[in-house]
Amino acid sequence: MSKRKITDFFSQNKINKTSEPQDSHHDTIDTDLNELPTPTYTKKGKEKRFYNKKWENDFPWLYFDVQRNGAFCKLCEKHAVNDSVLLTSTGGVFIKTPFNNFKKALGKDGKLNKHNDSASHIRSIEQERLTLVFSKNPVYCQILNQSSEECKINRKHFSLLFRSIYFLAKEEIAHTTKYEPLIKRLIMKSSESFENWIVTNSDRSTYISKATASELLCCASEILCKKLNNEVIGKKFSLMADESTHVNNKSELSICIRFVKNNQPVEQFLGIRDLSDTKAHTIVNEISSELTKHNLSYQNIACGFDGAANMSGNKSGVRRLISEKAGREVPYIHCRAHVLSLVLTSMRNASQSATIINDPILKILEAIEIRWLSHYKIVHAIKQSYIAIATTCEHIHQDGADLASLAGGILLSLREESFIILLCGLDEILGAVSNLSLTLQSPNLCISVLPTIIKSTKDHLNKIAESLKQDVYNSTIIKNATEISKRLNSLKKDDGIKNTLKYILSFLEQVIKEMDRRFNDTTVKLIEGCSIFENYSTLSDASEKLIEQLSLNKKEIGGNPISDLLEVNMGYQHLRKLAESVLCIPIATDTVERSFTAMNRIISKLRNRMGQDTLEYCMKMSIEGEEDPPQEFIEETIDLYARKKTRRIKLI
């Protein structure tokens, strides 16, 4: 090469001839080739080819090592340096041997493209990718992440299983027989991912068996029990209990409590216990077991029962035994709705006119003595459908069939004017008492409205009595009877009208007498005293005269806790405790009665083999479960199920 050509080459690339090459190692990838390109000479002084740094844009793995005067692959140099077979077959080019035949570098068949597409280079790329992944995410982290993702997927689909069993229990549907069809016919067809999940886990369990349904129901019940335990810990409460029998003729004791939650009184179902007998000692033992289960103390207890002798007896009843366990006289509340039932029972026994209620010929609904509303429903149903009943009896009698004589006898009674008057009189009287009964059973009852409703019921009954005494033919009873009589084809006049009106008046006076005796002024005053603690408005509007009466009439009332406000200098903390105690007082035991209704819907003739525990689980879901279970409740239930069933699917 001539001196002039060499000078032109250095001048074109702006390189000083005296410049010494920089130190470089094969690991150095960012060598500045703009400043120091390395020429390559062909044999016999032919055309020169140089390494071009722009090649690295198309081949990121490529770099030039100035010290070794050649190009190398930084990936293969790192991962394939110990592959003897590869080094032998390729001569170690790009790995240990520098590539400097730049004339053959580019093009479709160029050395750079061939190396880029080679299997060894692709393996090096994959190994480098794995190295980067492992450096950022170690193996144990990847295992944990994969396990976490698996848990999320399992919990997502498992929540569908829980919602299914929750829906069946809440709607009181047979969960053991309907659970699998619900999953297979509805949920699996509506969710492809859920169906795939079920199939994938079928080697361990299908999770649509009766056993899984029962286990989930048990876990959900335990979560509800735990939640209730946290809410009632250390609080004052009233115990409400009653016994009944279900379709298998087994005696069951339903236990409910009333306590203050978020400054509002609430009533909740605790549980249902199997009774070997209905003696007071047996009932108290079951109550003690249930209270221990929920960490409730006898020191904070009051009680409310229906007035049965074994429950409310002051010598050997449940009421007395609970007082002995508490070491004090436990406050006892006689259910106001049952008191009203006793009013109806007493007046029925004292008045001959009420025997029409028990006439089996006219029975539309079953008249049950302890179901105090059934009598009014019977009377009202006959009155409302009186013309239809009379017309039906007339057609049956004319047809001359088997029931012709029976229908004729009923028709004769229906057409008697005294019967119509008696029917309208009973409907008017029992209707007023039944309205009061429904108010006492309302779950949203306000104590402050009770005195007004009781007074208005008494006034209404007295008004009916006055109209019968003063101007009987202008009374509501006679007017209603006259309207019905006009719609009949024929009416039988009889001489018993005066006696019928006499019986109605006697019956009504007995009702008023029983109402005055059982809902006396002292009871009304006590209710008014309790009602002042319902909210701040009633507390601030309470008259001093009312509080003084409650305090001065302590002996008459039988001991009133509100009087302590005037006897002792109390602060707001004590006032709060007192108000909480007052709010715990139950008006009626209708929560217990509703639990028996739920029990009879759940354990029916088709589900008569249900166990005691399962019955309690189903009743808790039906009575205390929310319509749409919150996600937090679902997660807690799945966690509990997972802890109990760790041998199965991974959920935590």
Side-chain angles (χ1 to χ4, degrees):
M1 179 182 292
S2 64
K3 184 177 180 181
R4 182 176 179 182
K5 289 183 178 180
I6 295 174
T7 304
D8 292 341
F9 165 74
F10 281 104
S11 62
Q12 290 173 3
N13 292 277
K14 301 180 181 179
I15 301 296
N16 192 338
K17 289 187 295 183
T18 59
S19 300
E20 295 183 1
Q22 297 179 359
D23 252 347
S24 176
H25 189 266
H26 65 280
D27 287 334
T28 304
I29 299 175
D30 296 328
T31 305
D32 193 353
L33 297 180
N34 290 328
E35 296 183 0
L36 187 60
T38 302
T40 299
Y41 300 93
T42 60
K43 295 180 180 180
K44 299 180 182 180
K46 292 184 179 180
E47 183 180 1
K48 301 179 290 294
R49 293 290 185 268
F50 306 102
Y51 179 85
N52 193 341
K53 190 171 177 60
K54 292 181 180 181
W55 295 345
E56 296 177 5
N57 295 332
D58 297 328
F59 305 99
W61 47 266
L62 184 65
Y63 81 97
F64 188 86
D65 191 337
V66 177
Q67 187 175 357
R68 292 183 289 175
N69 195 28
F72 292 88
C73 173
K74 57 186 176 183
L75 299 181
C76 293
E77 193 177 31
K78 181 178 180 181
H79 298 289
V81 68
N82 296 322
D83 191 344
S84 58
V85 177
L86 177 63
L87 294 176
T88 303
S89 61
T90 62
V93 179
F94 288 109
I95 302 173
K96 286 187 175 182
T97 305
F99 172 72
N100 48 27
N101 189 6
F102 300 127
K103 183 177 180 181
K104 297 182 179 181
L106 302 180
K108 183 178 180 181
D109 298 328
K111 296 294 183 181
L112 296 181
N113 280 321
K114 284 185 177 181
H115 181 77
N116 188 69
D117 298 334
S118 65
S120 60
H121 181 73
I122 294 174
R123 285 197 301 271
S124 298
I125 293 174
E126 183 63 22
Q127 291 178 4
E128 181 67 16
R129 186 187 68 80
L130 292 176
T131 301
L132 293 174
V133 171
F134 292 153
S135 63
K136 296 179 180 179
N137 227 350
V139 176
Y140 71 89
C141 291
Q142 295 182 56
I143 295 174
L144 291 176
N145 290 338
Q146 184 177 0
S147 176
S148 177
E149 288 298 322
E150 183 182 358
C151 285
K152 289 181 180 179
I153 295 173
N154 290 341
R155 293 177 76 93
K156 174 185 175 182
H157 293 104
F158 209 84
S159 64
L160 293 177
L161 297 176
F162 174 73
R163 284 184 176 273
S164 301
I165 189 63
Y166 185 91
F167 169 78
L168 295 175
K170 182 63 180 175
E171 297 299 322
E172 300 170 348
I173 302 172
H175 62 280
T176 54
T177 56
K178 301 301 182 182
Y179 175 66
E180 184 175 351
L182 177 63
I183 299 295
K184 287 185 175 180
R185 298 176 187 177
L186 183 62
I187 299 180
M188 289 180 65
K189 290 185 178 181
S190 62
S191 176
E192 184 177 352
S193 61
F194 178 78
E195 183 178 6
N196 295 334
W197 181 79
I198 289 290
V199 173
T200 303
N201 291 281
S202 60
D203 57 334
R204 288 177 283 185
S205 174
T206 59
Y207 300 104
I208 55 177
S209 63
K210 297 178 181 179
T212 301
S214 299
E215 290 164 359
L216 285 173
L217 195 61
C218 174
C219 293
S221 178
E222 288 187 29
I223 295 299
L224 286 178
C225 182
K226 179 182 176 182
K227 180 182 177 182
L228 178 61
N229 291 348
N230 294 333
E231 291 175 347
V232 300
I233 184 170
K235 287 190 175 183
K236 297 184 181 298
F237 66 96
S238 288
L239 173 74
M240 298 174 290
D242 197 3
E243 62 89 17
S244 181
T245 57
H246 55 58
V247 69
N248 291 335
N249 291 325
K250 289 178 61 178
S251 294
E252 300 283 353
L253 177 70
S254 178
I255 304 173
C256 302
I257 61 170
R258 179 185 174 99
F259 64 99
V260 176
K261 176 182 176 182
N262 297 329
N263 299 327
Q264 294 295 329
V266 295
E267 296 181 359
Q268 288 199 2
F269 172 75
L270 274 192
I272 191 163
R273 313 284 294 197
D274 184 15
L275 291 177
S276 57
D277 56 68
T278 57
K279 295 180 180 178
H281 285 281
T282 304
I283 294 175
V284 170
N285 290 337
E286 296 296 336
I287 289 175
S288 298
S289 300
E290 194 68 29
L291 295 182
T292 302
K293 176 181 175 182
H294 294 277
N295 300 322
L296 292 170
S297 172
Y298 277 108
Q299 300 302 317
N300 299 322
I301 194 173
C303 55
F305 304 129
D306 59 359
N310 63 333
M311 301 294 289
S312 60
N314 199 28
K315 291 185 178 181
S316 59
V318 174
R319 167 190 178 185
R320 172 51 51 196
L321 296 178
I322 289 179
S323 296
E324 292 177 359
K325 285 183 174 291
R328 59 183 175 85
E329 187 66 27
V330 172
Y332 163 69
I333 306 298
H334 191 168
C335 172
R336 293 294 95 187
H338 282 84
V339 169
L340 194 58
S341 173
L342 295 175
V343 171
L344 296 175
T345 304
S346 298
M347 66 187 181
R348 183 199 63 187
N349 295 334
S351 177
Q352 296 180 358
S353 61
T355 56
I356 192 68
I357 297 176
N358 294 324
D359 191 340
I361 297 175
L362 297 178
K363 185 173 70 172
I364 295 178
L365 302 175
E366 184 179 2
I368 305 174
E369 184 172 339
I370 62 173
R371 297 292 181 259
W372 47 92
L373 292 178
S374 63
H375 304 87
Y376 168 67
K377 290 180 179 179
I378 294 171
V379 173
H380 190 66
I382 295 175
K383 179 189 173 185
Q384 292 296 107
S385 56
Y386 186 88
I387 301 301
I389 294 174
T391 304
T392 303
C393 290
E394 186 175 352
H395 283 291
I396 294 174
H397 179 64
Q398 291 175 357
D399 290 342
D402 295 337
L403 299 177
S405 59
L406 179 61
I410 296 175
L411 187 60
L412 289 176
S413 298
L414 291 176
R415 287 178 175 175
E416 290 181 358
E417 190 174 13
S418 59
F419 177 85
I420 299 175
I421 294 174
L422 178 61
L423 182 66
C424 294
L426 289 176
D427 183 70
E428 188 76 18
I429 298 169
L430 295 180
V433 180
S434 297
N435 288 333
L436 177 58
S437 178
L438 290 173
T439 302
L440 291 171
Q441 297 178 65
S442 173
N444 300 320
L445 174 66
C446 294
I447 303 177
S448 57
V449 304
L450 273 183
T452 304
I453 296 175
I454 293 172
K455 184 177 182 302
S456 62
T457 303
K458 289 182 178 181
D459 292 343
H460 182 67
L461 295 175
N462 286 319
K463 185 177 180 181
I464 297 174
E466 290 176 3
S467 65
L468 290 176
K469 292 178 181 178
Q470 296 177 1
D471 190 1
V472 64
Y473 292 102
N474 288 327
S475 64
T476 308
I477 296 174
I478 298 299
K479 290 180 180 179
N480 292 336
T482 304
E483 291 182 4
I484 295 176
S485 301
K486 290 179 180 178
R487 299 172 60 187
L488 285 174
N489 295 330
S490 60
L491 182 65
K492 181 181 177 182
K493 298 288 184 179
D494 60 277
D495 299 330
I497 296 179
K498 290 184 178 180
N499 288 332
T500 301
L501 292 172
K502 179 181 177 181
Y503 290 147
I504 292 175
L505 182 59
S506 174
F507 179 75
L508 182 56
E509 289 175 346
Q510 185 67 24
V511 173
I512 296 172
K513 180 180 178 181
E514 290 292 330
M515 287 284 293
D516 290 336
R517 185 169 71 88
R518 298 181 184 271
F519 292 90
N520 51 43
D521 294 338
T522 302
T523 303
V524 173
K525 287 179 182 178
L526 181 59
I527 294 175
E528 290 177 349
C530 295
S531 67
I532 67 176
F533 290 96
E534 276 195 320
N535 51 56
Y536 287 110
S537 177
T538 56
L539 182 61
S540 59
D541 294 341
S543 64
E544 295 181 3
K545 183 178 180 181
L546 173 61
I547 298 178
E548 289 176 1
Q549 287 177 343
L550 292 171
S551 176
L552 296 175
N553 296 332
K554 184 174 182 179
K555 294 182 179 180
E556 180 184 354
I557 295 173
N560 179 17
I562 302 178
S563 62
D564 293 340
L565 287 173
L566 300 178
E567 296 176 1
V568 183
N569 184 17
M570 291 184 175
Y572 290 116
Q573 182 179 1
H574 299 286
L575 183 62
R576 180 179 179 85
K577 291 181 180 179
L578 180 61
E580 184 176 347
S581 300
V582 172
L583 290 177
C584 288
I585 297 175
I587 299 300
T589 59
D590 50 284
T591 303
V592 183
E593 302 295 339
R594 291 192 185 100
S595 69
F596 286 135
T597 304
M599 177 189 72
N600 292 327
R601 289 196 303 261
I602 292 171
I603 184 166
S604 59
K605 292 182 179 180
L606 297 177
R607 302 174 71 185
N608 57 6
R609 299 178 62 185
M610 182 180 294
Q612 186 68 27
D613 291 339
T614 305
L615 173 61
E616 183 172 352
Y617 300 155
C618 291
M619 289 181 66
K620 281 189 177 182
M621 291 296 104
S622 174
I623 298 172
E624 300 299 338
E626 299 184 28
E627 291 296 330
D628 185 17
Q631 188 62 31
E632 180 182 358
F633 176 73
I634 296 175
E635 295 295 334
E636 289 181 3
T637 305
I638 293 177
D639 288 341
L640 180 59
Y641 177 86
R643 289 194 294 271
K644 290 185 175 182
K645 304 295 176 183
T646 53
R647 66 184 184 276
R648 293 187 181 179
I649 191 170
K650 186 174 182 58
L651 294 169
I652 55 176

